[in-house]
Amino acid sequence: MVMKGVVCRTGVAVLLLCAGMAEAVWGLLQLCGFLPSRHALFPLTGSFYNPGPYGCFLAMLLPLAVAFYLGKTAWKRWAGMAYVMLAVAPLAASMSRTGWLAAALGCSFTILLLNRHWLTTAWRRLWDYHRRHRVKTYLCIAVVAITAAFAAYALVGLKAQSAQGRVLMWKIGAKAMAGVPLAGVGWDNVAGTYGEAQEAYFSLHSDSGEIAVAGAPEYLFNEYLQIGVAYGVPAFVAFILVLCMGVYRGVKGRAYGFAGSLLAFMTVAFASYPLQFTLFLVCICAVALCCFWSVPCRRFSAWWLLNCLLTAGGCILCVAVAVTRYEREAAREEWGAGVRRLYHSRAYRAAAEGYAPFYDRLNHDAAFLFEYGHSLHKTGEYEESVRILEKAAEVSSDAMVLNIIGKNRQAMGEYAEAEKCFRRSSRRQPALLYPHYLLMKLYEEAGDSAGMVREARYLSGTRAKVPSPAEEEMRGEARQILEKLVTFQSE
């Protein structure tokens, strides 16, 4: 029975490493220019659409390859070496700090477990050295600590704004989870709930230095918080417990490569969005299940029943997610290859008519809903546009959704509701100037001179995070209003 389990785990490991090697080769071919990237700004993505999760995927399987390489079987050593040699270059080129950290932690954990006897001997020798040379020992510890601190600072400084943005997302994500502690809001509505939480946060911290890094993320870049917001605190706790128990069972069952890979995934899940990809989900379910089944257990015991439940649940989850995402991607491709071109060519009436049949299949897609609602706004169907865009606000954190809702309200003469939307937009992404420009135009139309001047002064005295011709145009209109005010007062 134990032998069958080992053979089964070995087969799963081989399949996982083959998938990882295929991704690594894919990335290398992209780097060499033989295959196209799936992102316009990055040359390396593998089958993913961003180099970040691509690097994280390669990093997750690296501990498994290290365990193979440190094994005693010749073919396993060659397989492990092949994966390491193929994966290291694209992992480095992905510039994924999370992937690098996950690879370092997972591989270190696996190597330490595979060399526990050597470590025990080394620890005894170090302790003996410490007793004989205390000053030198403390100096060495201080040097290592300072070096590690500098390395961590350099890693964060590599993309400082990105790191600050993630910290802000985690902070607001935690507040969003606290707002829906039991039931959650559902997987598709996490971004919309985050946007509302960000509004509430900046309404209380309007002068925060975090304004510069506040954006409109699709994901929370933390799968623990993502699950917590989607399904509540119980799911958040259960997810963490399952992963921790998986590592524990992997270590206990001497499946050190799988345990290291699971630890690497836990690191990736803390600062990225791996569960948004079906391949990542299937692979991590396989890794976790191999950890749980690595410890032999009697039939109908508590652990056996738990393992069976997790296996059934994992298989059902993978199949359900794969089918759902396939159907959604098929609908999105059909929409993108057809009527979406009408929107981008500004044939808004034809686009609105063409988008309507896709609504039932794509009412979870933020981009589809925004473009549908915007097309209706352009054709003067303001009430229908509001209905569609309010649905978009549930699944998107983008402030532009609120801007178009506000413009619809303004066109219908509902100035108070329009002002509320523009104010919400300005709090959701405080670095943007466009909501203040819309407020200025609203006050001008409504005859509120004081409000118009207030927003004009804000626009003329504030610089956008990303300078653009549109910013200068808005600033120019604001200056004209202020100049007219000065001329009127002088007369």
Side-chain angles (χ1 to χ4, degrees):
M1 188 74 178
V2 175
M3 192 64 187
K4 288 182 180 178
V6 172
V7 172
C8 184
R9 287 198 303 275
T10 301
V12 172
V14 169
L15 290 175
L16 290 171
L17 290 180
C18 286
M21 283 190 273
E23 287 289 343
V25 171
W26 195 330
L28 290 171
L29 291 174
Q30 287 174 331
L31 280 176
C32 295
F34 295 113
L35 288 177
S37 170
R38 301 190 68 184
H39 195 291
L41 300 178
F42 304 104
L44 175 76
T45 60
S47 66
F48 300 84
Y49 55 79
N50 192 291
Y54 170 69
C56 291
F57 179 78
L58 296 179
M60 181 187 73
L61 297 178
L62 207 54
L64 195 57
V66 168
F68 262 44
Y69 177 71
L70 296 177
K72 297 179 180 178
T73 311
W75 72 266
K76 285 187 177 182
R77 293 176 65 88
W78 281 106
M81 184 187 298
Y83 182 84
V84 171
M85 292 178 68
L86 286 171
V88 165
L91 174 58
S94 71
M95 297 297 288
S96 171
R97 297 162 302 172
T98 304
W100 298 345
L101 182 61
L105 289 177
C107 291
S108 298
F109 186 68
T110 300
I111 292 169
L112 291 176
L113 290 172
L114 289 169
N115 295 277
R116 285 182 297 174
H117 300 299
W118 176 85
L119 285 173
T120 303
T121 304
W123 174 254
R124 287 173 182 168
R125 291 178 179 176
L126 288 172
W127 185 252
D128 290 339
Y129 183 84
H130 160 259
R131 287 189 297 180
R132 288 184 281 110
H133 307 283
R134 291 181 182 272
V135 175
K136 290 183 179 179
T137 302
Y138 295 141
L139 283 174
C140 289
I141 292 173
V143 168
V144 170
I146 292 170
T147 303
F150 272 110
Y153 179 78
L155 200 61
V156 172
L158 182 64
K159 298 178 184 175
Q161 278 203 327
S162 173
Q164 293 167 9
R166 290 192 189 189
V167 171
L168 175 64
M169 279 189 280
W170 299 340
K171 185 191 299 184
I172 295 175
K175 292 179 182 295
M177 182 173 67
V180 286
L182 295 179
V185 297
W187 191 260
D188 292 331
N189 297 334
V190 171
T193 304
Y194 174 89
E196 293 175 2
Q198 187 159 285
E199 283 178 44
Y201 179 80
F202 283 117
S203 66
L204 300 175
H205 303 85
S206 57
D207 57 346
S208 171
E210 296 167 314
I211 285 174
V213 296
E218 295 180 60
Y219 322 112
L220 301 188
F221 282 80
N222 185 309
E223 294 293 15
Y224 306 103
L225 291 175
Q226 184 91 14
I227 288 173
V229 176
Y231 304 114
V233 175
F236 169 82
V237 174
F239 181 59
I240 294 174
L241 285 177
V242 167
L243 292 178
C244 291
M245 282 195 300
V247 173
Y248 167 75
R249 297 290 284 181
V251 172
K252 188 175 180 181
R254 296 188 177 184
Y256 300 139
F258 287 107
S261 287
L262 192 55
L263 180 63
F265 170 79
M266 292 175 70
T267 307
V268 168
F270 184 77
S272 189
Y273 46 99
L275 297 183
Q276 308 297 331
F277 302 94
T278 305
L279 177 62
F280 230 128
L281 176 64
V282 171
C283 288
I284 197 55
C285 282
V287 168
L289 290 174
C290 284
C291 285
F292 275 98
W293 284 107
S294 64
V295 181
C297 49
R298 292 181 293 104
R299 283 191 176 183
F300 306 112
S301 64
W303 277 111
W304 185 85
L305 289 173
L306 177 63
N307 290 354
C308 289
L309 287 173
L310 288 174
T311 302
C315 292
I316 292 170
L317 176 65
C318 289
V319 171
V321 168
V323 170
T324 301
R325 288 182 179 173
Y326 174 78
E327 291 175 349
R328 289 183 171 186
E329 190 61 31
R332 186 177 174 85
E333 287 182 4
E334 185 181 347
W335 160 61
V339 295
R340 194 178 193 187
R341 298 175 183 176
L342 297 171
Y343 174 82
H344 290 291
S345 62
R346 300 187 179 183
Y348 295 117
R349 184 167 299 282
E353 293 173 357
Y355 278 39
F358 286 93
Y359 179 78
D360 290 337
R361 290 193 290 166
L362 289 174
N363 59 13
H364 63 278
D365 190 291
F368 168 82
L369 291 170
F370 175 78
E371 292 179 14
Y372 187 16
H374 190 222
S375 298
L376 292 167
H377 166 75
K378 288 292 188 178
T379 58
E381 299 176 62
Y382 301 123
E383 291 187 5
E384 183 65 9
S385 176
V386 168
R387 185 182 73 83
I388 297 297
L389 289 172
E390 284 179 346
K391 176 62 178 177
E394 295 176 7
V395 299
S396 172
S397 61
D398 192 354
M400 196 63 187
V401 174
L402 297 175
N403 290 336
I404 305 302
I405 293 175
K407 291 174 76 173
N408 284 324
R409 297 292 188 188
Q410 181 178 349
M412 291 188 290
E414 300 173 3
Y415 294 138
E417 290 297 318
E419 181 185 19
K420 188 185 298 184
C421 288
F422 297 148
R423 286 291 174 201
R424 286 184 61 194
S425 176
S426 69
R427 291 193 296 268
R428 184 169 288 202
Q429 289 178 262
L432 298 180
L433 296 184
Y434 189 52
H436 295 279
Y437 173 77
L438 293 176
L439 280 167
M440 182 182 74
K441 302 298 285 184
L442 173 67
Y443 292 139
E444 183 180 20
E445 183 178 318
D448 185 348
S449 300
M452 178 181 66
V453 170
R454 182 177 64 248
E455 296 303 327
R457 284 174 175 163
Y458 180 89
L459 286 168
S460 62
T462 307
R463 289 284 176 185
K465 183 168 66 173
V466 181
S468 67
E471 174 200 351
E472 291 304 321
E473 185 178 341
M474 290 186 288
R475 201 186 307 284
E477 288 193 43
R479 281 196 292 264
Q480 288 177 7
I481 289 173
L482 294 176
E483 287 169 5
K484 289 178 182 178
L485 176 66
V486 171
T487 303
F488 176 77
Q489 289 177 343
S490 64
E491 291 177 353

